[in-house]
């Protein structure tokens, strides 16, 4: 679950404090409303995120990392740092692979 792209990014966004659904949706470019809802529910179910509903009109809902959720921020930060540092190498490897996948196999 932690290796999921959206999980890692959502946890990263909540490191600085509680966030509302709309804030998370804006920050996590490319995530659909459905995927964000599923991600937050999974994080809540696993005890990494607490959901607080404020009785206002309209309802205000905030999501915040629990102690367990905060304990995973350091390893996820290391993974994000590694990803950023190696993205060009990964993209180059993908390009090489894709180019070679379209060629006829040559005898060894």
């Amino acid at each position: 679950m932690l290796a999921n792209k959206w999980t890692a990014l959502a946890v990263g966004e909540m490191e600085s404090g509680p966030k509302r659904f709309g804030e998370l949706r804006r920050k996590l470019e490319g995530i659909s409303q459905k995927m964000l809802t599923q991600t937050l529910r999974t994080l809540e179910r696993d005890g990494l995120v607490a959901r607080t509903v404020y009785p206002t009109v309209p309802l205000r809902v905030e999501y915040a990392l629990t102690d367990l959720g905060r304990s995973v921020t350091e390893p996820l930060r290391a993974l994000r740092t590694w990803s950023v540092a190696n993205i060009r190498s990964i993209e180059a490897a993908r390009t090489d692979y894709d180019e070679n996948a379209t060629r006829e196999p040559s005898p060894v």
Side-chain angles (χ1 to χ4, degrees), residues 5-101:
K5 169 187 176 179
W6 297 119
T7 296
L9 293 172
V11 168
E13 283 301 323
M14 288 183 276
E15 278 186 76
S16 61
K19 297 286 187 281
R20 293 179 68 182
F21 186 91
E23 287 179 271
L24 289 168
R25 181 115 190 261
R26 281 188 297 279
K27 295 280 188 175
L28 302 175
E29 294 180 21
I31 194 168
S32 68
Q33 182 170 335
K34 179 181 176 183
M35 182 54 66
L36 180 55
T37 298
Q38 289 175 348
T39 300
L40 292 170
R41 282 184 184 157
T42 300
L43 289 170
E44 184 180 9
R45 181 174 182 248
D46 291 346
L48 300 175
V49 167
R51 179 178 181 262
T52 305
V53 179
Y54 296 94
T56 59
V57 178
L59 286 177
R60 189 181 78 171
V61 180
E62 284 185 346
Y63 297 89
L65 295 176
T66 61
D67 289 340
L68 183 61
R70 281 188 291 280
S71 74
V72 79
T73 60
E74 189 173 330
L76 287 178
R77 189 177 313 115
L79 184 57
R80 285 192 307 271
T81 300
W82 179 90
S83 297
V84 168
N86 290 286
I87 191 65
R88 287 199 174 99
S89 297
I90 293 167
E91 289 171 344
R94 286 178 180 173
T95 299
D96 289 347
Y97 178 89
D98 292 346
E99 287 173 0
N100 290 328

